[in-house]
Structure formats: structure tokens, C-alpha cells
Amino acid sequence: MRYNYDLKRIGWMLFAFGVFVFVLFKTVENFQEYKELKREDESEPMTAVVYEKTAAQDLLYGKTYYMVLLNEKLTGKVAWNLDIGQRAYVEKEEFDKLEIGDTVSGFKIDGTFHNQEDLKGEYSSYYIGLAFVSIYIFGYISYWLSKVKFVVTFFHRMEQKRLFNSLLGVLLYGLFYGGMLLGLSFGFYHMGQMAMNAYDKYTDEDRIETTAVVTDHFADLDVGRYADSDYFLALSFENQASETVYVTKEVTSHTYHAYKDQPVPISYSEENPYKIYLQMSWEDVFQIMMTNEMLMYYLVCFITVAMIYVFICWRRYKKTGSYFPIKKGNPPLSK
């Protein structure tokens, strides 16, 4: 029995070591690729011709992403379905200045055009991945350090002086409450953006109504119990200056199936024709309210209310000795 236990323990140790070596190897490999990407970023400048201007707008926040098309055959396609080298994201200021036939600056990497916005996205992905895998590397090294007698003795002495417990308590409380505060702030920030988008949609009076043609459509059908599917309509219409505007709009499943094969009634901002609005029915509202992202916001609100209630109860306990309101005429509880 003891023999089988030792074999299992050795097997798990070898497995953990193998994972550690693999993660460490991939981290070094990705770091080398990152350095190579940075080197190529600076060494092979390249320009690409603007064949068309387009924009993409998300569903919940109404945020508009501006981009230029680098191939004449891509006009009217779903913008979020295009790869690097087929399109290039640009800032609004540059987007307004660009004309068809102009060039945008970037870099040639593996034979494909990348601009600075593309590289920012790849750099961000690298840092996020590095932070994730570092958790395992740090945990594995910490586990083996806990087996070293000198390290154990050092922390034991700190614990006897109560310094370790104090520092650990401050660290754990700081990580817990700091992480929770950061998560709640992140959630409320995005909820604020969503509220501003809804406010603009129903209060903006300088809008022009028209009908857009659906030039392309795409449904990203995620499978899984808790997966959300994404639906996109590529639209084109003429603004007041008789210019053709191409926009990709993320929509609900109801709107997608209702309009993917027929014209769509829309309204757009007079100042910015790439910011468009679609009419919404109660089915659209219901589908939006039941998305996983909205469920996360409900959780953020619940946690916030719960924390406020706990704080109120704690304050009441400090004053009266009871977590609950004391009825009039009843003496406060003794502490």
C-alpha cells in the first residue's frame, strides 16, 4: 500500500516538474519571439495603400473602431472578420484625414503588413500570457523553497517575532480588497460606458434617419453551456454629402435574423456618420439583458450592495453592540 502511494507521489512530482519545464521553455520561446517581433518592428518599415475606409461598432457600449481596408476586394465585408494585413486600425484623427489612395505607415513582419495598433495588441497579449504562466512558475519554485531547511527556519523565526504574520496579513488583505476594488471599478466603468451609449441613443436629436443595405453578415456561433454567440451585419449607406459609408455593426440574434437578407432602417450621427443606431425591440433588450457580460454586471452590483450592507452592520455593531437595528425602547446590547 505504501509502495503504491510512493509511486503516485513520484508520478505527480514528475508531472509537475514536466509542466514546469514546458511552461518555462514556452516562456523563454515566447520571449525570444517577442524580442524578434520588436526587432522586426523597428527594422522593416512598410507602407500600405488605403482602398477604403470603414468602422466597426460593438453592441453594448457603442464604441466605434476605425480602420482602413488594404485590399480592394474587401469593401463591404464584416470588418471584424478580416485579418491583419487586410485591414489596419487607426485613430479617429488619422481616419478623418485619410483619403482613398493614401498610404498608412507600418512594418513588414513575416511578409505581412502590421501597423502600430496591431503591434500594441500583440504586445498586450504577450504581457497577459506572461503574467498568467508566471503564477505557476512562482508557485512551483515557492513549493520547493518551502522544503529548504534554511528558508523554513528563516520564516519560522519571522513568525516567532510576529513580523511574518503582520506582513502576511497586510499583504493578503491588500490583495483581497485591492483586487475586489479593482474588479468592481472595472465593472462600474464599463457599465458607465454602456449607460452613456444608451443615453446618447435616446437623447441625441441631431440624427439622420436612412436605410442601409446589408452587404455582408457573419455569425460567430460559440458552442457551450455558458457561451455567447456574436452576430454582425456589414452595412452601407449614403450620408448627406452623397458619400458611401461602410460600417460593421454588432447586433442581437433577433436583429441579425430579421435583417440579414433585407435593408435595415438606421439613424446616424450628423457629426460622425460612422456612429450609427438601430431600432431595438423588446426582444433585443431581453437578449442583451441575458448575455453573460450583463450577468457579470448584475454580480458586480450584488457584491457592491452586499459590501455596503456589511459596512453598515459593522458600523451599527461598533455603536450599539448589535448588527441589527435595535427597536425603540430596548437598551443597547452590552459589548
Side-chain angles (χ1 to χ4, degrees), residues 53 66 91-99 272 274:
K53 299 165 63 174
Y66 301 93
E91 295 293 334
K92 179 66 165 56
E93 293 76 13
E94 183 180 3
F95 182 85
D96 291 336
K97 296 176 182 178
L98 286 171
E99 300 290 344
N272 181 11
Y274 290 91

Short mmCIF file of all heavy atoms in Angstrom, two decimals, residues 53 66 91-99 272 274:
data_model
loop_
_atom_site.label_atom_id
_atom_site.label_comp_id
_atom_site.label_asym_id
_atom_site.label_seq_id
_atom_site.Cartn_x
_atom_site.Cartn_y
_atom_site.Cartn_z
N LYS A 53 -12.31 53.11 -46.43
CA LYS A 53 -12.41 53.41 -45.01
C LYS A 53 -13.68 52.76 -44.46
O LYS A 53 -14.72 52.76 -45.12
CB LYS A 53 -12.45 54.91 -44.78
CG LYS A 53 -11.21 55.64 -45.27
CD LYS A 53 -11.43 57.13 -45.36
CE LYS A 53 -11.71 57.76 -44.02
NZ LYS A 53 -11.79 59.25 -44.09
N TYR A 66 -12.14 52.42 -35.77
CA TYR A 66 -11.92 52.90 -37.12
C TYR A 66 -10.78 52.13 -37.77
O TYR A 66 -9.76 51.85 -37.14
CB TYR A 66 -11.60 54.40 -37.10
CG TYR A 66 -12.71 55.22 -36.50
CD1 TYR A 66 -12.71 55.55 -35.15
CD2 TYR A 66 -13.76 55.66 -37.28
CE1 TYR A 66 -13.73 56.30 -34.59
CE2 TYR A 66 -14.80 56.40 -36.73
CZ TYR A 66 -14.77 56.72 -35.39
OH TYR A 66 -15.79 57.45 -34.84
N GLU A 91 -6.39 55.66 -35.45
CA GLU A 91 -7.08 56.56 -34.54
C GLU A 91 -8.05 57.45 -35.32
O GLU A 91 -7.90 57.66 -36.52
CB GLU A 91 -6.07 57.42 -33.79
CG GLU A 91 -5.15 56.64 -32.85
CD GLU A 91 -5.90 56.02 -31.68
OE1 GLU A 91 -6.97 56.57 -31.32
OE2 GLU A 91 -5.41 55.01 -31.14
N LYS A 92 -9.05 57.99 -34.62
CA LYS A 92 -10.08 58.80 -35.26
C LYS A 92 -9.48 60.00 -35.99
O LYS A 92 -9.92 60.36 -37.10
CB LYS A 92 -11.08 59.28 -34.20
CG LYS A 92 -12.21 60.16 -34.73
CD LYS A 92 -13.14 59.39 -35.64
CE LYS A 92 -14.46 60.12 -35.88
NZ LYS A 92 -14.31 61.49 -36.42
N GLU A 93 -8.48 60.64 -35.40
CA GLU A 93 -7.90 61.82 -36.02
C GLU A 93 -7.25 61.47 -37.36
O GLU A 93 -7.41 62.18 -38.36
CB GLU A 93 -6.86 62.44 -35.08
CG GLU A 93 -7.42 63.04 -33.80
CD GLU A 93 -7.82 61.99 -32.78
OE1 GLU A 93 -7.43 60.81 -32.96
OE2 GLU A 93 -8.52 62.34 -31.81
N GLU A 94 -6.50 60.37 -37.39
CA GLU A 94 -5.87 59.95 -38.64
C GLU A 94 -6.91 59.47 -39.64
O GLU A 94 -6.80 59.72 -40.85
CB GLU A 94 -4.86 58.83 -38.36
CG GLU A 94 -4.10 58.36 -39.60
CD GLU A 94 -3.12 57.25 -39.31
OE1 GLU A 94 -3.06 56.79 -38.15
OE2 GLU A 94 -2.42 56.83 -40.25
N PHE A 95 -7.94 58.79 -39.15
CA PHE A 95 -9.01 58.28 -40.00
C PHE A 95 -9.69 59.42 -40.76
O PHE A 95 -9.99 59.31 -41.96
CB PHE A 95 -10.03 57.54 -39.13
CG PHE A 95 -11.16 56.92 -39.90
CD1 PHE A 95 -11.02 55.66 -40.47
CD2 PHE A 95 -12.37 57.58 -40.04
CE1 PHE A 95 -12.07 55.08 -41.17
CE2 PHE A 95 -13.43 57.01 -40.73
CZ PHE A 95 -13.28 55.75 -41.30
N ASP A 96 -9.95 60.53 -40.08
CA ASP A 96 -10.63 61.67 -40.71
C ASP A 96 -9.77 62.31 -41.80
O ASP A 96 -10.30 62.84 -42.78
CB ASP A 96 -10.99 62.71 -39.65
CG ASP A 96 -12.08 62.23 -38.72
OD1 ASP A 96 -12.86 61.34 -39.12
OD2 ASP A 96 -12.15 62.73 -37.57
N LYS A 97 -8.45 62.25 -41.64
CA LYS A 97 -7.56 62.89 -42.61
C LYS A 97 -7.28 62.01 -43.82
O LYS A 97 -6.96 62.53 -44.90
CB LYS A 97 -6.23 63.24 -41.93
CG LYS A 97 -6.36 64.28 -40.82
CD LYS A 97 -5.03 64.52 -40.14
CE LYS A 97 -5.17 65.50 -38.99
NZ LYS A 97 -3.86 65.71 -38.29
N LEU A 98 -7.39 60.70 -43.68
CA LEU A 98 -7.04 59.79 -44.77
C LEU A 98 -8.07 59.85 -45.89
O LEU A 98 -9.27 59.98 -45.65
CB LEU A 98 -6.93 58.35 -44.24
CG LEU A 98 -5.69 58.03 -43.40
CD1 LEU A 98 -5.83 56.64 -42.77
CD2 LEU A 98 -4.42 58.09 -44.25
N GLU A 99 -7.59 59.72 -47.10
CA GLU A 99 -8.44 59.63 -48.28
C GLU A 99 -8.10 58.34 -49.04
O GLU A 99 -7.03 57.75 -48.83
CB GLU A 99 -8.21 60.85 -49.20
CG GLU A 99 -8.51 62.19 -48.55
CD GLU A 99 -10.00 62.40 -48.30
OE1 GLU A 99 -10.81 61.66 -48.90
OE2 GLU A 99 -10.35 63.30 -47.52
N ASN A 272 -20.81 62.51 -37.02
CA ASN A 272 -20.00 61.33 -37.32
C ASN A 272 -20.87 60.25 -37.92
O ASN A 272 -21.53 59.50 -37.19
CB ASN A 272 -19.32 60.83 -36.04
CG ASN A 272 -18.43 59.63 -36.30
OD1 ASN A 272 -18.16 59.27 -37.44
ND2 ASN A 272 -17.98 58.98 -35.23
N TYR A 274 -20.21 57.47 -39.03
CA TYR A 274 -19.79 56.11 -38.71
C TYR A 274 -20.33 55.65 -37.35
O TYR A 274 -20.13 54.50 -36.96
CB TYR A 274 -18.26 56.00 -38.71
CG TYR A 274 -17.68 56.12 -40.10
CD1 TYR A 274 -17.31 57.35 -40.62
CD2 TYR A 274 -17.53 55.00 -40.91
CE1 TYR A 274 -16.79 57.46 -41.90
CE2 TYR A 274 -17.02 55.09 -42.20
CZ TYR A 274 -16.66 56.34 -42.68
OH TYR A 274 -16.14 56.44 -43.95
#
